[in-house]
Amino acid sequence: MTGSAADIRDLAEEWPVLSSETPFRGAVTGVRTDRLRMPDGSTAGRDYQLHPGSVAVLALDAEERVLLIRQYRHPVRQRMWEIPAGLLDVPGENPLHAAQRELYEEAHCKADDWRVLVDFYTTPGGSDEALRIFLARGLGDAEGERHAGEGEEAEIETARVPLADLVAGILAGHLHSPSLVTGVLAAHAALRGGGAGALRPADAPWPARPFPAA
């Protein structure tokens, strides 16, 4: 297949679902089993995680340093450097409001300028989790008391690292958080391309997780 960049885009499609069940549902996520009819007429089962969706914040200061947090991630047994992120806990929640909340709770910061940096599915072969990363600039300290974290969040560390250094760390295999990797590389490309002004506005539609207009 050959074509222009405008032709290379994902398209909504749904194969017939013959049956569906949810054998497990936890506090936040669940597991669904669907039996599909394949294009050749055969059937096949597909198990995948149900997820409410997430937001993350690639926050840049005036010196083009990225605000990072580090916390323990039990499934992979690592204390990982990440960017502030969190769940869309309320169905239909405005993702910008959720991202602003996470920046406050995890780093006690606020930002003046917000743009949509990139949207992606974290693991489309095994989960329906959709994640939107915002680019936040004009950083400042948040007002009021610091959020009191629990569990892993009680052990959060913070740092500010030059964007170029993080690109090098990613390519060297030192950093593995999907939101950090995707956000850093997207920000590096955007800022050296059309600039932040060419990014989508913070309230851009998000078909994967629709939300009411503000």
Side-chain angles (χ1 to χ4, degrees), residues 3-213:
S4 67
D7 298 325
I8 304 301
R9 59 177 61 200
D10 299 330
L11 299 175
E13 182 175 345
E14 184 173 358
W15 293 357
V17 178
L18 305 179
S19 64
S20 183
E21 60 178 323
T22 307
F24 170 78
R25 185 175 291 278
V28 176
T29 66
V31 174
R32 175 171 291 169
T33 298
D34 289 343
R35 180 149 292 276
L36 308 180
R37 185 175 301 283
M38 312 302 280
D40 64 1
S42 64
T43 63
R46 293 291 182 266
D47 301 326
Y48 57 99
Q49 180 195 38
L50 299 172
H51 196 285
S54 306
V55 292
V57 185
L58 194 293
L60 273 181
D61 66 15
E63 299 174 48
E64 207 168 269
R65 297 179 302 173
V66 180
L67 173 62
L68 301 181
I69 63 172
R70 183 161 66 172
Q71 60 182 319
Y72 177 65
R73 292 303 189 185
H74 183 69
V76 294
R77 304 324 195 253
Q78 291 193 23
R79 188 178 290 271
M80 303 182 71
W81 285 109
E82 304 176 343
I83 56 177
L87 299 170
L88 289 170
D89 296 311
V90 181
E93 182 178 17
N94 186 304
L96 174 60
H97 297 167
Q100 291 170 332
R101 180 186 68 237
E102 295 301 329
L103 184 61
Y104 161 72
E105 291 183 353
E106 296 191 345
H108 199 66
C109 285
K110 61 181 180 179
D112 296 329
D113 184 73
W114 292 79
R115 307 275 176 160
V116 174
L117 181 58
V118 65
D119 298 329
F120 66 104
Y121 291 103
T122 59
T123 319
S127 173
D128 69 349
E129 180 184 6
L131 195 153
R132 167 164 281 190
I133 302 179
F134 291 89
L135 176 67
R137 299 182 301 162
L139 289 183
D141 293 332
E143 300 173 355
E145 296 183 2
R146 285 186 172 273
H147 175 72
E150 299 179 352
E152 291 88 346
E153 290 187 355
E155 302 293 325
I156 282 180
E157 306 169 57
T158 63
R160 296 194 183 196
V161 180
L163 181 64
D165 290 354
L166 292 177
V167 172
I170 289 167
L171 298 180
H174 299 155
L175 301 165
H176 308 95
S177 163
S179 56
L180 183 148
V181 170
T182 303
V184 164
L185 296 182
H188 184 265
L191 295 178
R192 281 147 186 77
L199 294 171
R200 288 171 290 163
D203 61 352
W206 190 14
R209 292 295 184 272
F211 59 95

